Every structure is written in structure tokens, then in C-alpha cells.
Amino acid sequence: MEIVDRVEAAAYRVPTEVPEADGTLAWDATTLVVATVAAGGVTGTGWTYAPAAAAGVVRDVLAGVVTGTPAADVPAAAAAMARQVRNAGRPGVAGYALSAVDVALWDLKAKLFGVPLTRLFGAALDRVPLYGSGGFTTYDDDRTVAQLTRWVHEQGIGRVKIKIGESDGARPERDLHRVALARKVIGEDAELYVDANGGYGAGQAVRQAERMREHDVRWFEEPVSSDDLPGLRLVRERVRPDVAAGEYGCDAGYFARMCAAGAVDCLQIDATRCGGYTGWFAGAAVAAGHHLQVSAHCAPNLHLPAAAATPHLRHIEWFHDHQRIEGELFDGAADPAGGSARPRDDVPGHGLTLRAAAAEPYRVA
């Protein structure tokens, strides 16, 4: 039995192409935190999108409890990490760090066994449906049109999502203009999704949904804050689009409360935040128990192996920032052409390898 003998982490800050924003936040760079674990001369890699401080949590808080554990016993290591961050705060930076290490451990285990990660999990799907995600509120019409045109008419992606709820819901007319523009660009056959990132109150979200009805919006993500379960339920009961939320949940207990409250039609799970692949499958089990589908939130290449092993998957989010970073800084990134992607099944592990030379100019920790 190989024993974990090394745990390391690094952070890379990658500027955006242009300033970006959603309903409640603005940014000009995205930070990638990469965790690596090693055993028997083999290295596993995991990552998350989080403040650079998460790299310090990996090194200073988690490395000590993971080092020396059997590499095959990932659930035991995951439980040990969860105990270790009890006083550090499981939601937030500590949870992101734990998630990156968990992914790295599963990658390491699959490599030691010599199998693709999706085979270690057990595949349920050959290909994983996806949707193009971006359409930031800072985009002008020309940039929005260009992005949507590339996804739908050049890459053949039949589902797309744009951001609304601009300035905490203060610009509803511009939101509606952008929804109408998106529908015009993608045509009648593609599915149109919107994401308010909690920018609306429940009443405003219902009113906006009614006004968006003529544009056949199929998916309304986080119309109110993911913490506002009564508000999510109210919107869900009043509007036609499927209401989705949950990506900020840090554990299965949060997902269970969301499902039990009848707050969503589809549960979003983010393995880079909720405990890695271990947390993904715990959340997926909760959703299955409530007869709900799940959707992977962001980090598309990281989610592919777990998504392909989830029978009740709806799709994964091909998020612009993350797919750009994963395509630039990793070997093995998937091709989204045709609106679906296939996890790597020709190499052990998840199949992505950090290009150290390409990443080094962005390193901040």
C-alpha cells in the first residue's frame, strides 16, 4: 500500500481578457490554486478557484493530516481533513483548500491503480452535456454577440447562459435588453439560461421572470441568494424557468436543507468548493434522494470524470473564465464542440497535467 509522502500547493492569478462582473461582484483576474499529492513516485493534481490563501491552508493545515495516510484510502483522508478545518471554518477558503486536495487524492489513487478516474468511479455517461457560460454584465453588445455566436453557431453548443441582475438588480431594463439580444443571436432552437448571482430580491426576480417569458428562458440560476431558501422556493413556485442554486454549499447537509425546502428544480454542485469529488458524490446522493438532477458548477474539466459517473446529471457549466485557464495552463483539456465533452479515458487519473512553465508567470503563492 503506497503512502502519501508529499502535499504541496501553489496559487496563480490569471488576468481576465477584459473586466468582468455579474449581478453582485466585479473582478479583473481569477486565482487558480493547485494542490499536488505524491505517493510511490506518482503525483496527483487537484485545483480550485479561490483566494491565494487557500494554498497556505493546504500547506499549513491539511498537509500534516494527509501525509502518511494510505493513498488508496481517500475517504479516510477526506474525513481527517474535515476534522482538521473545524476551527478554520469549513465554508470558504478552508473548504476550497480541502476540495483541491481531495481531487488530487482521487487523481493519485486512479494513477496508482493505472485506470482513468472515470473508470475508477464507474461511468454512467459516455459524453457529458454542457452549456456555454459567460455573458458578463460588463460586456457590451458586440462582445456578447461574439461570444454567443462562437458557442452556438461555430462550436455547436445548444445551451448558453448570460449574467443578469446587474448592480444588485438596479438595472433591470438593461438585463432585459441583454436577454432579448441573446435570444436574437442564438435563434429559437438553442436553450437560453440566465444567472442573477443573487442580485434580485424575490419579488423582483418573479417580475423579471415574467418579463423574460417571451424569450423562452429555460433556467434561472440564483435569482436570489443561495442562502435565501424561502426566497428561492417562492421564485420557483411562481416562475416557469427551472430555478437552480446550491453551488456555494459546503457540504451535504447544506444540500439536504436546500432540497428539503423545495428551493430548486436542479441542484448545483461545485466539487472545488464542497469537498472535492468526495463532496460531489455526497451532494449527488442527496439530490437523488429528492428526485432532482444535478448540474456541475464551473471548473468544467475538473468536473468531467465525476459528472460522467452521475446518472442523474443534467449538464456541466462550461464557464468562460475557467475553461480559458484550464485550456491555457493544463494539458488534456476537453473539446466542447457539439455541446458535450468526453472525460479522458486513455490515461490514468483525470488526465489533466499542469503546464508548469506556462503557469509560472502567473504564480503569486
Side-chain angles (χ1 to χ4, degrees):
M1 179 75 69
E2 301 290 353
I3 301 299
V4 175
D5 56 33
R6 178 169 54 86
V7 180
E8 297 177 348
Y12 307 90
R13 188 175 186 273
V14 183
T16 58
E17 297 161 316
V18 296
E20 296 173 354
D22 56 32
T24 54
L25 189 66
W27 62 95
D28 60 10
T30 298
T31 302
L32 170 75
V33 176
V34 179
T36 54
V37 297
V42 177
T43 300
T45 302
W47 66 96
T48 184
Y49 294 93
V57 175
V58 173
R59 293 189 293 261
D60 301 337
V61 181
L62 300 177
V65 298
V66 175
T67 303
T69 62
D73 297 342
V74 181
M81 288 193 292
R83 290 191 296 270
Q84 188 70 7
V85 301
R86 186 195 70 180
N87 291 342
R90 173 64 185 273
V93 171
Y96 287 42
L98 183 157
S99 300
V101 177
D102 182 88
V103 169
L105 287 167
W106 280 108
D107 184 45
L108 173 65
K109 179 175 180 176
K111 288 178 176 176
L112 289 170
F113 285 10
V115 297
L117 188 52
T118 191
R119 297 302 168 192
L120 182 67
F121 291 151
L125 304 168
D126 291 331
R127 299 189 66 87
V128 177
L130 58 88
Y131 66 90
S133 172
F136 302 107
T137 59
T138 45
Y139 280 5
D140 60 20
D141 286 1
D142 288 344
R143 184 171 286 273
T144 299
V145 168
Q147 187 176 67
L148 294 173
T149 297
R150 173 166 170 74
W151 284 335
V152 176
H153 302 299
E154 297 176 14
Q155 294 183 307
I157 298 174
R159 311 169 196 87
V160 297
K161 186 177 76 180
I162 67 168
K163 301 290 190 180
I164 60 172
E166 182 175 351
S167 302
D168 292 288
R171 302 193 66 186
E173 296 303 323
R174 184 166 190 267
D175 289 342
L176 293 169
H177 162 76
R178 295 178 61 251
V179 171
L181 175 66
R183 173 53 71 191
K184 179 180 179 180
V185 172
I186 68 176
E188 296 181 357
D189 295 332
E191 294 183 19
L192 177 58
Y193 301 167
V194 298
D195 182 358
N197 287 98
Y200 295 139
Q204 186 181 20
V206 171
R207 292 191 297 273
Q208 287 291 87
E210 289 295 332
R211 297 182 69 186
M212 291 187 294
R213 192 179 299 277
E214 65 178 292
H215 304 299
D216 192 21
V217 172
R218 304 286 183 86
W219 169 277
F220 198 169
E221 183 174 329
E222 210 179 6
V224 301
S225 168
S226 287
D227 293 326
D228 183 3
L229 300 189
L232 284 169
R233 181 173 180 174
L234 185 150
V235 176
R236 178 173 177 262
E237 291 174 345
R238 297 285 185 87
V239 306
R240 186 177 67 178
D242 285 351
V243 171
E247 68 268 22
Y248 299 105
C250 63
D251 57 26
Y254 172 90
F255 294 136
R257 291 190 294 275
M258 177 163 283
C259 293
V264 293
D265 297 283
C266 182
L267 183 65
Q268 286 183 288
I269 306 176
D270 190 329
T272 74
R273 299 174 175 178
C274 73
Y277 293 136
T278 300
W280 166 275
F281 287 112
V286 170
H290 288 83
H291 307 287
L292 292 177
Q293 290 182 307
V294 298
S295 177
H297 177 260
C298 294
N301 289 280
L302 181 146
H303 280 109
L304 269 175
T310 304
H312 53 300
L313 180 86
R314 182 161 179 167
H315 42 44
I316 64 174
E317 180 176 14
W318 209 258
F319 183 56
H320 175 69
D321 281 358
H322 296 177
Q323 63 85 15
R324 183 175 65 90
I325 291 171
E326 291 167 5
E328 178 183 352
L329 301 188
F330 289 89
D331 287 323
D335 180 0
S340 66
R342 185 188 299 274
R344 295 290 298 274
D345 60 3
D346 57 337
V347 293
H350 51 52
L352 272 79
T353 305
L354 183 70
R355 297 173 182 152
E360 189 59 30
Y362 300 117
R363 185 162 181 167
V364 292

